[in-house]
Amino acid sequence: MLGSVEGHRCLEIGCGGGGLIERLLSQKAACVAALDHSPDMLALAMAHNQRAVADERLQLKLGDAAEIPWPDQTFDAAVSANMFFFIEEPQRVLDELFRVLRPGARLVIVTTPGPLPKASLRNWWLYVWGPALHVHSNAQMESMFSRAGFVNVRIESDDTLQCCQGSRPH
Ligand SMILES: C[S@@+](CC[C@H](N)C(=O)[O-])C[C@H]1O[C@@H](n2cnc3c(N)ncnc32)[C@H](O)[C@@H]1O
């Protein structure tokens, strides 16, 4: 969904163990910055991407997506995969993502669509995780993206995945 990242300065929020970081770097991103609020996850991402850190192609920071620790208009692309459902203040995070993106830059968020189905044996995980998840309908995501200032907003979903994209106007 992010398209070509070749030569781009990319940001991932909620990077976890760093699998997506590896992909962005292998797709020739100029550099990647990644944020996670878990020191353990950040240590894993560091361990998996030591070479890129040493080569200064990867910068990892401990922090919260509600206060992204990079200056205004730093990145050409930003991505959030499998983490937006943890976010308690989604509009604040989208405003922050807009702030750190350059004019014309793209944002892609892949998350779980709302509303969640009723928990059942088939969806057993919803008994455990459901109450803690913050999920939003396509219309809600579209409205929050637009309120943050994003244009060319496209939100698509099936039963399990919601893919949201937008760009900062030129
Ligand atoms: C399920 S993992 C996904 C990791 C990775 N993006 C992936 O797709 O493999 C979610 C990650 O988001 C991080 N996270 C959750 N809420 C966060 C927040 N408010 N700020 C920064 N990181 C957060 C968690 O610590 C965790 O590492």
mmCIF file of all heavy atoms in Angstrom, residues 8-37:
data_model
loop_
_atom_site.group_PDB
_atom_site.id
_atom_site.type_symbol
_atom_site.label_atom_id
_atom_site.label_comp_id
_atom_site.label_asym_id
_atom_site.label_seq_id
_atom_site.Cartn_x
_atom_site.Cartn_y
_atom_site.Cartn_z
ATOM 1 N N HIS A 8 13.293 7.190 0.276
ATOM 2 C CA HIS A 8 12.431 7.941 1.200
ATOM 3 C C HIS A 8 12.905 7.827 2.646
ATOM 4 O O HIS A 8 13.471 6.825 3.053
ATOM 5 C CB HIS A 8 10.988 7.434 1.109
ATOM 6 C CG HIS A 8 10.306 7.856 -0.142
ATOM 7 N ND1 HIS A 8 8.990 7.565 -0.407
ATOM 8 C CD2 HIS A 8 10.756 8.560 -1.204
ATOM 9 C CE1 HIS A 8 8.655 8.068 -1.585
ATOM 10 N NE2 HIS A 8 9.716 8.676 -2.089
ATOM 11 N N ARG A 9 12.607 8.872 3.399
ATOM 12 C CA ARG A 9 12.789 8.834 4.850
ATOM 13 C C ARG A 9 11.479 8.330 5.439
ATOM 14 O O ARG A 9 10.442 8.982 5.300
ATOM 15 C CB ARG A 9 13.095 10.233 5.387
ATOM 16 C CG ARG A 9 14.324 10.864 4.748
ATOM 17 C CD ARG A 9 14.628 12.199 5.397
ATOM 18 N NE ARG A 9 15.001 11.954 6.794
ATOM 19 C CZ ARG A 9 15.419 12.917 7.617
ATOM 20 N NH1 ARG A 9 15.477 14.159 7.216
ATOM 21 N NH2 ARG A 9 15.756 12.633 8.853
ATOM 22 N N CYS A 10 11.527 7.149 6.052
ATOM 23 C CA CYS A 10 10.298 6.487 6.495
ATOM 24 C C CYS A 10 10.217 6.441 8.016
ATOM 25 O O CYS A 10 11.236 6.311 8.699
ATOM 26 C CB CYS A 10 10.258 5.045 5.983
ATOM 27 S SG CYS A 10 10.261 4.938 4.196
ATOM 28 N N LEU A 11 8.998 6.495 8.512
ATOM 29 C CA LEU A 11 8.739 6.378 9.944
ATOM 30 C C LEU A 11 7.787 5.219 10.178
ATOM 31 O O LEU A 11 6.785 5.076 9.466
ATOM 32 C CB LEU A 11 8.067 7.664 10.463
ATOM 33 C CG LEU A 11 7.489 7.599 11.879
ATOM 34 C CD1 LEU A 11 8.612 7.535 12.924
ATOM 35 C CD2 LEU A 11 6.605 8.818 12.161
ATOM 36 N N GLU A 12 8.100 4.383 11.174
ATOM 37 C CA GLU A 12 7.104 3.409 11.638
ATOM 38 C C GLU A 12 6.815 3.676 13.105
ATOM 39 O O GLU A 12 7.733 3.781 13.923
ATOM 40 C CB GLU A 12 7.596 1.961 11.488
ATOM 41 C CG GLU A 12 6.473 1.014 11.927
ATOM 42 C CD GLU A 12 6.806 -0.474 11.970
ATOM 43 O OE1 GLU A 12 7.974 -0.853 11.798
ATOM 44 O OE2 GLU A 12 5.866 -1.248 12.211
ATOM 45 N N ILE A 13 5.536 3.783 13.438
ATOM 46 C CA ILE A 13 5.173 3.904 14.862
ATOM 47 C C ILE A 13 4.685 2.534 15.346
ATOM 48 O O ILE A 13 3.968 1.840 14.638
ATOM 49 C CB ILE A 13 4.122 5.008 15.121
ATOM 50 C CG1 ILE A 13 2.845 4.784 14.310
ATOM 51 C CG2 ILE A 13 4.689 6.392 14.842
ATOM 52 C CD1 ILE A 13 1.659 5.584 14.842
ATOM 53 N N GLY A 14 5.127 2.144 16.536
ATOM 54 C CA GLY A 14 4.766 0.824 17.073
ATOM 55 C C GLY A 14 5.464 -0.273 16.306
ATOM 56 O O GLY A 14 4.845 -1.197 15.796
ATOM 57 N N CYS A 15 6.799 -0.192 16.272
ATOM 58 C CA CYS A 15 7.570 -1.072 15.370
ATOM 59 C C CYS A 15 7.701 -2.496 15.898
ATOM 60 O O CYS A 15 8.083 -3.390 15.154
ATOM 61 C CB CYS A 15 8.951 -0.487 15.114
ATOM 62 S SG CYS A 15 9.960 -0.357 16.609
ATOM 63 N N GLY A 16 7.394 -2.729 17.189
ATOM 64 C CA GLY A 16 7.538 -4.082 17.723
ATOM 65 C C GLY A 16 8.949 -4.599 17.499
ATOM 66 O O GLY A 16 9.932 -3.869 17.666
ATOM 67 N N GLY A 17 9.050 -5.884 17.099
ATOM 68 C CA GLY A 17 10.357 -6.522 16.916
ATOM 69 C C GLY A 17 11.105 -6.099 15.671
ATOM 70 O O GLY A 17 12.244 -6.527 15.466
ATOM 71 N N GLY A 18 10.486 -5.295 14.813
ATOM 72 C CA GLY A 18 11.251 -4.694 13.717
ATOM 73 C C GLY A 18 11.173 -5.393 12.374
ATOM 74 O O GLY A 18 11.975 -5.119 11.490
ATOM 75 N N GLY A 19 10.172 -6.273 12.189
ATOM 76 C CA GLY A 19 10.042 -6.972 10.908
ATOM 77 C C GLY A 19 9.792 -6.027 9.739
ATOM 78 O O GLY A 19 10.406 -6.158 8.675
ATOM 79 N N LEU A 20 8.921 -5.053 9.948
ATOM 80 C CA LEU A 20 8.605 -4.112 8.860
ATOM 81 C C LEU A 20 9.786 -3.178 8.572
ATOM 82 O O LEU A 20 10.014 -2.780 7.422
ATOM 83 C CB LEU A 20 7.343 -3.323 9.226
ATOM 84 C CG LEU A 20 6.787 -2.382 8.172
ATOM 85 C CD1 LEU A 20 6.531 -3.105 6.855
ATOM 86 C CD2 LEU A 20 5.488 -1.746 8.663
ATOM 87 N N ILE A 21 10.540 -2.873 9.622
ATOM 88 C CA ILE A 21 11.739 -2.039 9.428
ATOM 89 C C ILE A 21 12.665 -2.710 8.417
ATOM 90 O O ILE A 21 13.159 -2.070 7.481
ATOM 91 C CB ILE A 21 12.500 -1.872 10.765
ATOM 92 C CG1 ILE A 21 11.687 -1.082 11.770
ATOM 93 C CG2 ILE A 21 13.870 -1.246 10.541
ATOM 94 C CD1 ILE A 21 12.305 -1.037 13.162
ATOM 95 N N GLU A 22 12.864 -4.015 8.617
ATOM 96 C CA GLU A 22 13.745 -4.770 7.705
ATOM 97 C C GLU A 22 13.255 -4.659 6.272
ATOM 98 O O GLU A 22 14.040 -4.478 5.341
ATOM 99 C CB GLU A 22 13.730 -6.250 8.105
ATOM 100 C CG GLU A 22 14.805 -6.644 9.079
ATOM 101 C CD GLU A 22 14.733 -8.134 9.385
ATOM 102 O OE1 GLU A 22 13.782 -8.537 10.071
ATOM 103 O OE2 GLU A 22 15.628 -8.864 8.917
ATOM 104 N N ARG A 23 11.921 -4.767 6.105
ATOM 105 C CA ARG A 23 11.351 -4.697 4.742
ATOM 106 C C ARG A 23 11.549 -3.328 4.131
ATOM 107 O O ARG A 23 11.900 -3.197 2.951
ATOM 108 C CB ARG A 23 9.861 -5.045 4.768
ATOM 109 C CG ARG A 23 9.654 -6.539 4.669
ATOM 110 C CD ARG A 23 8.232 -6.929 4.533
ATOM 111 N NE ARG A 23 7.603 -6.496 3.283
ATOM 112 C CZ ARG A 23 6.325 -6.680 3.026
ATOM 113 N NH1 ARG A 23 5.553 -7.261 3.914
ATOM 114 N NH2 ARG A 23 5.814 -6.276 1.892
ATOM 115 N N LEU A 24 11.334 -2.279 4.932
ATOM 116 C CA LEU A 24 11.493 -0.919 4.395
ATOM 117 C C LEU A 24 12.938 -0.696 3.972
ATOM 118 O O LEU A 24 13.218 -0.106 2.922
ATOM 119 C CB LEU A 24 11.074 0.110 5.450
ATOM 120 C CG LEU A 24 9.574 0.144 5.793
ATOM 121 C CD1 LEU A 24 9.324 1.003 7.027
ATOM 122 C CD2 LEU A 24 8.770 0.683 4.609
ATOM 123 N N LEU A 25 13.870 -1.194 4.804
ATOM 124 C CA LEU A 25 15.291 -1.008 4.473
ATOM 125 C C LEU A 25 15.662 -1.806 3.227
ATOM 126 O O LEU A 25 16.403 -1.321 2.367
ATOM 127 C CB LEU A 25 16.165 -1.424 5.660
ATOM 128 C CG LEU A 25 16.114 -0.466 6.864
ATOM 129 C CD1 LEU A 25 16.762 -1.095 8.084
ATOM 130 C CD2 LEU A 25 16.787 0.871 6.528
ATOM 131 N N SER A 26 15.078 -3.036 3.116
ATOM 132 C CA SER A 26 15.420 -3.863 1.951
ATOM 133 C C SER A 26 14.816 -3.269 0.678
ATOM 134 O O SER A 26 15.286 -3.535 -0.423
ATOM 135 C CB SER A 26 14.973 -5.307 2.154
ATOM 136 O OG SER A 26 13.577 -5.371 2.036
ATOM 137 N N GLN A 27 13.758 -2.448 0.842
ATOM 138 C CA GLN A 27 13.168 -1.801 -0.336
ATOM 139 C C GLN A 27 13.806 -0.439 -0.598
ATOM 140 O O GLN A 27 13.214 0.431 -1.236
ATOM 141 C CB GLN A 27 11.652 -1.694 -0.154
ATOM 142 C CG GLN A 27 10.984 -3.057 -0.292
ATOM 143 C CD GLN A 27 9.504 -3.042 0.070
ATOM 144 O OE1 GLN A 27 8.890 -1.994 0.159
ATOM 145 N NE2 GLN A 27 8.938 -4.213 0.279
ATOM 146 N N LYS A 28 15.008 -0.290 -0.047
ATOM 147 C CA LYS A 28 15.868 0.856 -0.376
ATOM 148 C C LYS A 28 15.352 2.195 0.149
ATOM 149 O O LYS A 28 15.582 3.245 -0.491
ATOM 150 C CB LYS A 28 16.132 0.943 -1.881
ATOM 151 C CG LYS A 28 16.780 -0.311 -2.424
ATOM 152 C CD LYS A 28 17.385 -0.056 -3.785
ATOM 153 C CE LYS A 28 18.138 -1.280 -4.254
ATOM 154 N NZ LYS A 28 17.733 -1.814 -5.505
ATOM 155 N N ALA A 29 14.658 2.166 1.293
ATOM 156 C CA ALA A 29 14.355 3.437 1.960
ATOM 157 C C ALA A 29 15.700 4.110 2.257
ATOM 158 O O ALA A 29 16.676 3.430 2.612
ATOM 159 C CB ALA A 29 13.592 3.175 3.254
ATOM 160 N N ALA A 30 15.743 5.434 2.155
ATOM 161 C CA ALA A 30 17.003 6.141 2.449
ATOM 162 C C ALA A 30 17.364 5.915 3.907
ATOM 163 O O ALA A 30 18.528 5.673 4.247
ATOM 164 C CB ALA A 30 16.835 7.631 2.174
ATOM 165 N N CYS A 31 16.363 6.003 4.774
ATOM 166 C CA CYS A 31 16.570 5.713 6.189
ATOM 167 C C CYS A 31 15.206 5.456 6.817
ATOM 168 O O CYS A 31 14.170 5.813 6.252
ATOM 169 C CB CYS A 31 17.296 6.861 6.898
ATOM 170 S SG CYS A 31 16.434 8.412 6.756
ATOM 171 N N VAL A 32 15.250 4.794 7.953
ATOM 172 C CA VAL A 32 14.018 4.468 8.669
ATOM 173 C C VAL A 32 14.159 4.951 10.110
ATOM 174 O O VAL A 32 15.217 4.802 10.722
ATOM 175 C CB VAL A 32 13.739 2.941 8.646
ATOM 176 C CG1 VAL A 32 12.515 2.593 9.486
ATOM 177 C CG2 VAL A 32 13.554 2.451 7.209
ATOM 178 N N ALA A 33 13.085 5.549 10.604
ATOM 179 C CA ALA A 33 13.004 5.913 12.015
ATOM 180 C C ALA A 33 11.853 5.105 12.582
ATOM 181 O O ALA A 33 10.813 4.959 11.926
ATOM 182 C CB ALA A 33 12.721 7.405 12.151
ATOM 183 N N ALA A 34 12.038 4.569 13.765
ATOM 184 C CA ALA A 34 10.970 3.742 14.328
ATOM 185 C C ALA A 34 10.826 4.014 15.811
ATOM 186 O O ALA A 34 11.803 4.272 16.511
ATOM 187 C CB ALA A 34 11.238 2.267 14.060
ATOM 188 N N LEU A 35 9.573 3.916 16.240
ATOM 189 C CA LEU A 35 9.195 4.292 17.598
ATOM 190 C C LEU A 35 8.408 3.147 18.225
ATOM 191 O O LEU A 35 7.579 2.528 17.564
ATOM 192 C CB LEU A 35 8.285 5.520 17.477
ATOM 193 C CG LEU A 35 7.580 6.033 18.711
ATOM 194 C CD1 LEU A 35 8.595 6.763 19.574
ATOM 195 C CD2 LEU A 35 6.464 6.983 18.318
ATOM 196 N N ASP A 36 8.685 2.868 19.482
ATOM 197 C CA ASP A 36 7.830 1.947 20.238
ATOM 198 C C ASP A 36 7.884 2.360 21.700
ATOM 199 O O ASP A 36 8.897 2.871 22.168
ATOM 200 C CB ASP A 36 8.306 0.491 20.086
ATOM 201 C CG ASP A 36 7.177 -0.502 20.326
ATOM 202 O OD1 ASP A 36 6.767 -0.666 21.503
ATOM 203 O OD2 ASP A 36 6.691 -1.102 19.347
ATOM 204 N N HIS A 37 6.772 2.142 22.419
ATOM 205 C CA HIS A 37 6.780 2.544 23.826
ATOM 206 C C HIS A 37 7.229 1.416 24.755
ATOM 207 O O HIS A 37 7.288 1.613 25.956
ATOM 208 C CB HIS A 37 5.419 3.126 24.247
ATOM 209 C CG HIS A 37 4.307 2.125 24.306
ATOM 210 N ND1 HIS A 37 3.033 2.461 24.728
ATOM 211 C CD2 HIS A 37 4.260 0.804 23.995
ATOM 212 C CE1 HIS A 37 2.270 1.379 24.687
ATOM 213 N NE2 HIS A 37 2.982 0.388 24.252
#
